[in-house]
Amino acid sequence: MEINANEIEKYISGAAYVTVSNGKARPHRFTPEQAHAYDGTVYVCQLDCAAGVCFSAKTDATAVAIAFTASEGSSRTYFSIDITADGKGVGSITNHAGDMPHAFYPEICRKVGDFRGEFALPTGEKTVRIYLPWSVVIDIAEVEFKGATFAMPAQREKTFLFFGDSITHGYDAMFTSKKYATLVAEAFGANEHNKAVGGDFFKPEIAKIKETYIPAAIFVAYGTNDWNVYTREYVEKRAGEFYAVLHENYPTVPIFALCPIWRRDLDKTEAVQRFGDFRRIKDVIAAAAKYKNMYVIDCYDFVPHDEKVFSDTRLHPSDEGFAFYAERLIEAVKNIGVKL
């Protein structure tokens, strides 16, 4: 049973819409209006990276195959597509073999282009999920369920909306399903709609554009880039505007304001002189996220202060680092006691 490009949108979560061109389907996680907010910036190329996008189907197939084209999007060219059956991994399609040298691998160019992979599935009815890469743009030619008598969309009922910078986008997870946003959404049985962009800052222009659905929860994780680039006064203004318009759009939705995790270069002279101590960014976030439906979470210690759990040794968690982040964030959210 083949799911062709024209049918794929029914099976996709985490995308605002899907376009079909030359017999291939491309998911877009930003609406055209949201994408226009990035016009003229260096971030435009990242907008069609498939972070948080997932293909889900309930089926009795004995195997699943996917054919697609990967093209450059973010500053990283390595990727993985991860496939699960009832939550258990059955395989990944990658253009790397886990052979990336510590601290240098983000800049290594990897092959993009046409790929195909096929994976055996357990017997009986199951839910198959295909997690698309955070790092590259994906155009899907087809998904084939071999030996299937049926295959139907298996969308989850609720969606978590994520805003943030490169860490929330997924940099530098080797396996796309290991980034913290995916792990958090999975823990609560939610779709992940990821609006994070590597290198980004508090951007009220994006928060102002309301989604067509009401998210079950919203996670906001800016601050580390803001501290690194801007003055405290400017960040206070932008963060205040961001949370104000987010509250206006979603006054009853639980919103979790995540303060930045540790970074190795937190004592860099120019940033400290411009903004102040890195730990003070949490005060700015706490002051901005002042509404009753908002919960400030200090994530500073969620990832160990050890370069060994950071892919680039200083800023972006590795898969191991993301596991720490997700586990502690999930615990913190549960301790708040908000029903999600």
Side-chain angles (χ1 to χ4, degrees):
M1 181 176 293
E2 294 182 2
I3 311 299
N4 63 38
N6 292 314
E7 301 171 307
I8 281 172
E9 185 169 17
K10 296 183 294 185
Y11 296 81
I12 289 290
S13 62
Y17 66 104
V18 176
T19 56
V20 178
S21 178
N22 298 320
K24 296 179 182 179
R26 175 180 295 187
H28 303 264
R29 56 196 177 105
F30 292 84
T31 67
E33 184 182 8
Q34 290 165 340
H36 283 317
Y38 288 94
D39 286 350
T41 72
V42 298
Y43 307 120
V44 172
C45 61
Q46 301 183 51
L47 301 184
D48 280 341
C49 290
V53 180
C54 186
F55 178 105
S56 302
K58 184 170 288 187
T59 183
D60 61 352
T62 57
V64 60
I66 179 171
F68 61 92
T69 300
S71 54
E72 292 186 25
S74 73
S75 57
R76 312 302 198 234
T77 54
Y78 62 89
F79 73 84
S80 82
I81 283 183
D82 302 337
I83 299 95
T84 67
D86 288 339
K88 296 182 179 179
V90 297
S92 296
I93 304 170
T94 74
N95 62 349
H96 63 79
D99 56 342
M100 302 178 208
H102 196 52
F104 299 108
Y105 77 78
E107 286 73 37
I108 295 177
C109 289
R110 298 283 171 170
K111 176 186 175 184
V112 292
D114 295 333
F115 292 82
R116 186 184 187 280
E118 181 176 325
F119 303 90
L121 297 172
T123 58
E125 181 179 306
K126 78 286 290 181
T127 297
V128 175
R129 301 196 190 280
I130 304 174
Y131 298 86
L132 302 185
W134 62 265
S135 52
V136 296
V137 179
I138 291 294
D139 293 291
I140 306 171
E142 67 175 13
V143 178
E144 182 180 3
F145 290 102
K146 297 197 170 185
T149 62
F150 72 94
M152 63 183 68
Q155 303 289 8
R156 288 168 167 146
E157 293 183 357
K158 59 187 177 183
T159 296
F160 285 179
L161 179 59
F162 290 84
F163 294 98
D165 50 41
S166 55
I167 297 170
T168 302
H169 184 150
Y171 289 62
D172 276 311
M174 285 179 58
F175 290 92
T176 196
S177 60
K178 302 301 182 183
K179 58 191 178 65
Y180 91 86
T182 300
L183 295 173
V184 170
E186 290 290 321
F188 291 96
N191 298 317
E192 172 195 354
H193 199 169
N194 194 315
K195 295 298 177 75
V197 175
D200 211 357
F201 315 91
F202 279 108
K203 195 174 187 67
E205 298 86 350
I206 285 294
K208 188 176 182 179
I209 303 170
K210 193 173 183 179
E211 300 295 332
T212 57
Y213 62 92
I214 302 298
I218 300 173
F219 294 79
V220 181
Y222 297 106
T224 199
N225 292 330
D226 303 79
W227 168 82
N228 190 42
V229 174
Y230 295 122
T231 65
R232 177 165 178 161
E233 292 73 22
Y234 181 78
V235 179
E236 287 173 341
K237 177 179 181 295
R238 296 288 282 176
E241 292 171 352
F242 184 95
Y243 282 110
V245 294
L246 200 61
H247 178 261
E248 183 178 342
N249 281 340
Y250 308 103
T252 62
V253 174
I255 298 173
F256 300 97
L258 311 184
C259 301
I261 62 174
W262 174 87
R263 55 185 293 164
R264 193 183 66 182
D265 58 352
L266 55 81
D267 58 351
K268 60 193 303 183
T269 303
E270 58 271 31
V272 172
Q273 290 177 342
R274 182 171 44 243
F275 181 97
D277 185 270
F278 178 68
R279 290 291 280 146
R280 299 284 67 81
I281 188 69
K282 69 175 182 177
D283 300 332
V284 174
I285 292 171
K290 60 185 179 181
Y291 304 92
K292 289 184 178 180
N293 62 323
M294 297 183 182
Y295 307 90
V296 178
I297 300 177
D298 186 0
C299 304
Y300 183 73
D301 293 323
F302 281 9
V303 181
H305 304 183
D306 184 346
E307 65 180 39
K308 293 180 181 177
V309 294
F310 287 80
S311 292
D312 56 6
T313 75
R314 65 179 186 88
L315 181 64
H316 300 120
S318 62
D319 289 8
E320 182 183 7
F322 273 132
F324 281 114
Y325 192 0
E327 179 182 359
R328 293 166 182 179
L329 178 54
I330 292 164
E331 181 182 7
V333 170
K334 289 180 177 179
N335 287 340
I336 289 171
V338 178
K339 185 177 180 180
L340 299 179

